[in-house]
């Protein structure tokens, strides 16, 4: 394994010194979907010392076309993405530390998760989570790389707190609509191109090279590419990164939390406190209600009233086939009750 990183070390911008630096760095990847998978695999193969991936979702067959860490077996057994990614990455590189966390990334755990992290990569599919990343990295002065892709186009932007505009500064300049992967689709090359820009910025920063502050846009299908310097868009009154920042997206809310998943007719319900009820106990309790149940140690899936529930350890639940938050809460209390 002595030659493992030899070709990367031959690249003069990294070299032996840069490789040694990589081995001592810790990167947090928020989201283990298409971008998260691509970034995580490249960083694992590059020899970054520790990778932490957090994702709230599980693997479905529709993921296999673009989420490269997962297999048909993962989809068949409905495995949590974070756990399946952890297993696959350990098989790719056993020399580094890999941690997969099957949880939601939210205001209550963001500051804990960012401790001792050198950089954060955005692998999410929604701006609610991105603004939490934006606030927590600004508060703790940790650089991060925003990335997004849809259909055949993508964007990437490196953000250095205190030096470059944050995502909130650029709110009027960053596209936030136009559909989701579930509604308008995506092709794999757009994912790989976006992740390549993100991973490159990450490797540059971790090895001591200058950090770019350019907003990258491309369309691989049409052959379009543009790059814009956004340094002069830094907002001195920004609520998230200025000297008077209040970090609005880190304000912790009390009680049960709900979130509508992008384009999936699905609502996530997260109890205020994680429950102690085991999945096996809940599975047994539901036997009198429905025969459509499956439990794999990490999550429990069942169907009742024409609705599909996916319950993770601790009680966090995805309720498919419901778009009304009030109805989702009622169903959660009726059948999960953690």
């Amino acid at each position: 394994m002595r030659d493992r990183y030899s070709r990367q070390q031959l690249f003069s911008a990294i070299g032996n010194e840069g490789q040694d630096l990589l081995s001592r760095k810790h990167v947090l990847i928020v989201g283990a979907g298409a971008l998260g998978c691509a970034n995580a695999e490249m960083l694992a193969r590059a020899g970054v010392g520790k990778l932490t991936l957090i994702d709230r979702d599980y693997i479905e067959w529709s993921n296999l076309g673009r989420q490269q860490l997962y297999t048909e077996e993962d989809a068949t057994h409905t495995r949590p993405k974070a756990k399946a990614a952890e297993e696959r990455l350990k098989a790719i590189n056993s020399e580094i530390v890999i941690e997969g966390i099957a949880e939601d990334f939210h205001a209550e755990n963001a500051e804990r998760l960012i401790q001792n992290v050198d950089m954060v990569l955005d692998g999410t599919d929604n701006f609610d989570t991105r603004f939490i990343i934006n606030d927590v990295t600004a508060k703790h002065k940790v650089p991060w790389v925003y990335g997004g892709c849809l259909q055949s186009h993508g964007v990437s932007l490196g953000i250095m707190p205190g030096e470059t505009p944050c995502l909130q500064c650029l709110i009027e300049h960053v596209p936030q609509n136009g559909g989701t992967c579930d509604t308008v689709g995506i092709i794999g090359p757009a994912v790989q191109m976006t992740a390549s820009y993100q991973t490159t910025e990450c490797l540059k920063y971790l090895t001591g090279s200058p950090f770019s502050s350019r907003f990258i846009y491309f369309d691989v299908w049409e052959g379009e590419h543009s790059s814009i310097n956004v340094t002069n868009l830094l907002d001195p009154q920004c609520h998230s990164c200025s000297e008077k920042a209040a970090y609005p997206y880190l304000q912790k809310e009390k009680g049960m939390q709900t979130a509508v998943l992008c384009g999936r007719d699905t609502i996530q319900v997260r109890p205020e406190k994680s429950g102690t009820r085991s999945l096996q106990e809940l599975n047994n309790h539901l036997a009198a209600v429905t025969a459509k149940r499956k439990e794999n140690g990490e999550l429990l899936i069942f169907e009742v009233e024409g609705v599909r529930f996916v319950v993770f350890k601790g009680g966090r639940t995805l309720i498919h086939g419901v778009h009304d938050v009030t109805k989702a809460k009622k169903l959660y209390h009726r059948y999960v009750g953690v």
Side-chain angles (χ1 to χ4, degrees), residues 41 48 52 109 111 130-131 138 194 211 223 278:
E41 181 167 341
V48 173
T52 298
N109 63 12
E111 294 193 75
R130 287 183 178 121
F131 283 122
T194 305
F211 194 74
S278 71

Side-chain angles (χ1 to χ4, degrees), residues 97-172:
V97 178
I98 309 290
E99 181 184 18
I101 303 173
E103 296 180 15
D104 194 17
F105 185 82
H106 49 76
E108 287 78 10
N109 63 12
E111 294 193 75
R112 170 175 57 83
L113 289 168
I114 206 171
Q115 297 301 313
N116 302 313
V117 165
D118 296 291
M119 173 164 272
V120 178
L121 289 184
D122 167 26
T124 69
D125 61 0
N126 68 89
F127 275 86
D128 288 341
T129 306
R130 287 183 178 121
F131 283 122
I132 295 173
I133 297 173
N134 190 65
D135 273 15
V136 74
T137 52
K139 183 176 181 179
H140 292 271
K141 308 301 181 187
V142 176
W144 70 288
V145 186
Y146 156 64
C149 49
L150 199 65
Q151 295 182 311
S152 61
H153 54 82
V155 295
S156 176
L157 173 69
I159 297 173
M160 178 70 72
E163 297 181 20
T164 70
C166 75
L167 194 62
Q168 185 66 44
C169 293
L170 302 172
I171 187 66
E172 295 181 359

Side-chain angles (χ1 to χ4, degrees), residues 250-320:
L250 292 182
Q251 303 302 314
K252 299 176 177 61
E253 299 180 25
K254 296 182 178 180
M256 177 183 288
Q257 303 299 308
T258 60
V260 180
L261 272 61
C262 294
R264 293 177 58 184
D265 200 23
T266 299
I267 292 177
Q268 175 181 261
V269 178
R270 179 163 52 85
E272 182 175 13
K273 295 182 179 180
S274 294
T276 57
R277 192 179 197 181
S278 71
L279 293 178
Q280 184 60 57
E281 178 186 351
L282 180 58
N283 189 18
N284 294 338
H285 175 74
L286 290 167
V289 178
T290 177
K292 296 181 178 181
R293 310 184 319 280
K294 181 172 70 172
E295 189 257 324
N296 64 10
E298 293 289 343
L299 50 81
L300 168 65
I301 302 173
F302 66 94
E303 294 183 29
V304 64
E305 294 189 38
V307 175
R308 186 167 182 252
F309 294 72
V310 181
V311 186
F312 292 79
K313 290 180 179 178
R316 184 173 64 85
T317 302
L318 301 180
I319 304 178
H320 298 279

Side-chain angles (χ1 to χ4, degrees), residues 9-61:
Q9 288 170 277
L10 287 172
F11 178 53
S12 59
I14 294 180
N16 295 334
E17 183 178 346
Q19 192 63 51
D20 181 62
L21 285 171
L22 289 178
S23 70
R24 293 184 272 118
K25 300 300 184 179
H26 179 190
V27 176
L28 170 65
I29 301 175
V30 182
L35 286 178
C37 282
N39 278 300
E41 181 167 341
M42 284 190 279
L43 292 177
R45 293 186 185 278
V48 173
K50 181 176 181 179
L51 297 176
T52 298
L53 294 89
I54 180 167
D55 191 282
R56 65 188 179 186
D57 213 345
Y58 59 93
I59 301 163
E60 301 178 276
W61 286 90

